[in-house]
Amino acid sequence: MGKSSSVIIIYTTLALLYVLLASLFSPKNPYHRHRPHRRLILRPNSSTTGGRHHPPIPFDPVISDIEIRREDKQWEREHFSIPHHDGQGEAEPEWEDFMNAEDYINDDERFNVTNRIALLFPKIDASPSDGFVSSDELVEWNLQQATKETMHRTQRDMELHDKNNDGFVSFHEYEGPTWDRHSDDKTFSGNDVGWWKEDHFNASDVDGNGLLNLTEFNDFLHPADSNNPKLIQWLCKEEIRERDKDKDGKLSFEEYFHGLFDAIQDYDEIYNHSDSSMEEASAKKLFTQLDRDNDGFLSDDELKAVIGILHPSERYYAKQQADYVVSQADSDKDGRLSLSEMIEHPYVFYSAIFSDEEDDDYHDEFR
Ligand SMILES: *[C@@H]1O[C@H](CO)[C@@H](O)[C@H](O)[C@H]1NC(C)=O
Ligand SMILES: *[C@@H]1O[C@H](CO)[C@@H](O)[C@H](O)[C@H]1NC(C)=O
Ligand SMILES: *[C@@H]1O[C@H](CO)[C@@H](O)[C@H](O)[C@H]1NC(C)=O
Ligand SMILES: *[C@@H]1O[C@H](CO)[C@@H](O)[C@H](O)[C@H]1NC(C)=O
Ligand SMILES: *[C@@H]1O[C@H](CO)[C@@H](O)[C@H](O)[C@H]1NC(C)=O
Ligand SMILES: [Ca+2]
Ligand SMILES: [Ca+2]
Ligand SMILES: [Ca+2]
């Protein structure tokens, strides 16, 4: 046997070994696919970035609490950065602790997702408690979690604005929410002080005492989730004001076609967009449907029919997310989730990343 042939044998052996090892450790290996080692991540720092993406609703209150505490910490830094009696022995956790929180939730022994799901299941399976989690039950659960977070943020916001600490926010105390102050895309014409802001405030003030309590202030910040009819009316007026070029307080077909129709046409429930050459005809059709008094204009009252599309409610997102997780975890396709179906797909719940928009990697929050 020549020297060259033994070299070839060694190389061949190495190559085979390499192929074997590569196939063992490749992520496509079926053994690895069964137990994907995905890392749970906390949602980005601040979910209140006001972007077009609705933040996913947390499934597990433990994770939500961690995220909220982290957010509070950041909030304090931004708004109360004045020396915070350091070294006074206050057992406040440091920012860095929340970096470790991610290690905590990824530590199978301390945060066991199987056990978490088993613990949460009976709480979600509430109406009726029949051993299955329905999509409706998930919607209620999501909504509960989202509402809890929203109220917490509102409370925080209230602390910031309620300067005299009486538990109410007056219009004078209110300077305008941050999404308003920093927003560039909403161009407010003219220099008028913004009567619509006071309108917004007044519409939120259910009992008309000139002050907003926590409930009223929360509605003020989240009008689409309010069941205060004055606020819904205000939202509709707002939608008109932003598009009302000739300022007659209503939308002509032109104003609607170039401002409003674009915003609602993608919603299949309302409008079936099949052919773009038919766009104007379809826009006319919808306009005619919306213009109930047939005066050739859309009024704020007439906009109520589509306000839920322009401003989706929290319930809308709760349902989207519920439908998504059921579609992912319902192995036997009976339209509801058993405990074992949920335990088999823990990451569907713990990612629960949902985006309103087309986004290829939106389920890919776990790396
Ligand atoms: C959170 O935001 C702060 C500043 O806004 C940044 O310094 C920090 O790195 C962020 N933390 C995480 C975990 O993204
Ligand atoms: C998580 O809990 C389940 C049920 O108690 C147990 O079978 C499993 O081994 C635990 N996982 C880890 C990584 O501890
Ligand atoms: C809001 O209500 C107050 C009375 O509480 C009233 O003085 C003010 O004019 C109202 N503002 C608008 C824009 O309607
Ligand atoms: C705020 O006021 C409204 C209207 O009077 C009332 O329905 C609501 O319960 C109050 N909320 C709180 C937290 O006091
Ligand atoms: C929407 O369009 C599709 C195909 O163009 C058609 O089959 C369907 O019937 C339409 N739905 C409605 C509600 O018009
Ligand atoms: Ca009030
Ligand atoms: Ca009309
Ligand atoms: Ca099922």
Side-chain angles (χ1 to χ4, degrees):
M1 201 191 267
K3 197 178 173 189
S4 60
S5 54
S6 45
V7 167
I8 289 172
I9 289 170
I10 288 169
Y11 276 119
T12 312
T13 311
L14 283 176
L16 282 174
L17 256 177
Y18 175 79
V19 168
L20 182 68
L21 287 175
S23 70
L24 269 178
F25 292 106
S26 136
K28 289 190 198 103
N29 184 301
Y31 295 102
H32 287 263
R33 216 187 301 154
H34 277 303
R35 278 206 64 94
H37 199 82
R38 293 198 275 185
R39 187 170 169 82
L40 298 174
I41 59 161
L42 295 169
R43 288 175 304 165
N45 248 336
S46 178
S47 313
T48 51
T49 41
R52 284 153 73 226
H53 287 265
H54 186 268
I57 299 167
F59 167 75
D60 189 326
V62 166
I63 301 227
S64 169
D65 283 351
I66 293 173
E67 289 172 342
I68 280 284
R69 272 189 290 146
R70 183 181 61 171
E71 208 181 282
D72 282 352
K73 210 72 195 164
Q74 190 194 351
W75 172 269
E76 275 175 35
R77 293 190 162 207
E78 279 171 14
H79 297 284
F80 305 100
S81 52
I82 309 105
H84 216 214
H85 25 260
D86 270 342
Q88 290 292 81
E90 273 185 57
E92 288 283 328
E94 285 300 315
W95 178 257
E96 285 69 32
D97 287 3
F98 298 109
M99 306 301 280
N100 295 337
E102 213 154 275
D103 292 336
Y104 168 75
I105 62 174
N106 282 284
D107 180 336
D108 287 342
E109 275 166 29
R110 288 193 293 169
F111 190 84
N112 180 319
V113 289
T114 303
N115 293 343
R116 287 301 303 162
I117 287 175
L119 191 82
L120 295 176
F121 187 88
K123 298 185 188 188
I124 306 169
D125 173 25
S127 55
S129 304
D130 57 355
F132 293 97
V133 161
S134 66
S135 185
D136 287 348
E137 283 169 333
L138 266 173
V139 172
E140 291 311 318
W141 176 258
N142 290 343
L143 203 52
Q144 245 177 57
Q145 304 312 307
T147 306
K148 215 164 61 186
E149 289 201 341
T150 304
M151 276 317 273
H152 181 88
R153 295 195 182 109
T154 296
Q155 203 138 19
R156 229 171 35 193
D157 234 335
M158 187 127 177
E159 275 173 40
L160 195 66
H161 288 102
D162 177 15
K163 307 227 164 55
N164 68 356
N165 261 316
D166 66 351
F168 297 94
V169 174
S170 66
F171 183 66
H172 179 70
E173 282 173 329
Y174 189 74
E175 293 175 341
T178 46
W179 48 259
D180 205 350
R181 252 182 283 143
H182 300 304
S183 148
D184 294 323
D185 49 335
K186 285 192 180 183
T187 39
F188 296 125
S189 50
N191 285 334
D192 55 320
V193 199
W195 55 268
W196 59 88
K197 291 186 181 173
E198 194 167 354
D199 234 27
H200 180 191
F201 185 93
N202 283 5
S204 313
D205 184 12
V206 174
D207 60 7
N209 67 349
L211 302 167
L212 304 187
N213 68 11
L214 186 63
T215 317
E216 290 168 329
F217 189 54
N218 188 59
D219 284 352
F220 173 85
L221 296 177
H222 306 281
D225 293 308
S226 161
N227 42 30
N228 170 354
K230 279 202 293 182
L231 259 180
I232 302 298
Q233 189 85 26
W234 171 80
L235 260 189
C236 294
K237 273 168 80 177
E238 226 4 59
E239 289 303 323
I240 290 195
R241 192 182 62 77
E242 285 174 10
R243 300 170 170 88
D244 183 15
K245 294 220 171 67
D246 62 4
K247 306 222 180 302
D248 63 353
K250 51 197 183 178
L251 296 186
S252 65
F253 178 77
E254 278 303 300
E255 289 165 341
Y256 147 91
F257 188 48
H258 296 295
L260 188 70
F261 182 62
D262 306 335
I264 51 183
Q265 65 171 329
D266 291 332
Y267 286 79
D268 296 337
E269 303 96 297
I270 287 286
Y271 167 67
N272 199 351
H273 192 195
S274 44
D275 184 353
S276 61
S277 70
M278 298 288 284
E279 196 181 11
E280 187 154 341
S282 309
K284 281 232 161 72
K285 194 174 153 208
L286 179 60
F287 187 89
T288 310
Q289 275 172 29
L290 293 175
D291 180 17
R292 295 224 305 273
D293 66 2
N294 273 315
D295 68 347
F297 295 97
L298 298 184
S299 67
D300 47 353
D301 270 330
E302 288 166 343
L303 266 201
K304 272 188 202 156
V306 289
I307 199 68
I309 293 171
L310 295 167
H311 296 274
S313 65
E314 200 64 62
R315 180 174 287 278
Y316 170 85
Y317 293 110
K319 178 157 173 25
Q320 263 197 331
Q321 191 164 307
D323 289 348
Y324 169 71
V325 297
V326 170
S327 77
Q328 296 298 300
D330 182 17
S331 307
D332 67 3
K333 302 286 170 223
D334 67 348
R336 55 194 189 170
L337 302 179
S338 63
L339 177 57
S340 60
E341 281 173 333
M342 285 179 69
I343 285 175
E344 278 162 26
H345 304 91
Y347 292 101
V348 170
F349 301 94
Y350 279 89
S351 59
I353 298 306
F354 204 92
S355 159
D356 208 8
E357 261 134 274
E358 289 304 315
D359 187 358
D360 280 344
D361 55 10
Y362 76 71
H363 310 142
D364 205 19
E365 284 295 310
F366 291 73
R367 276 153 281 173

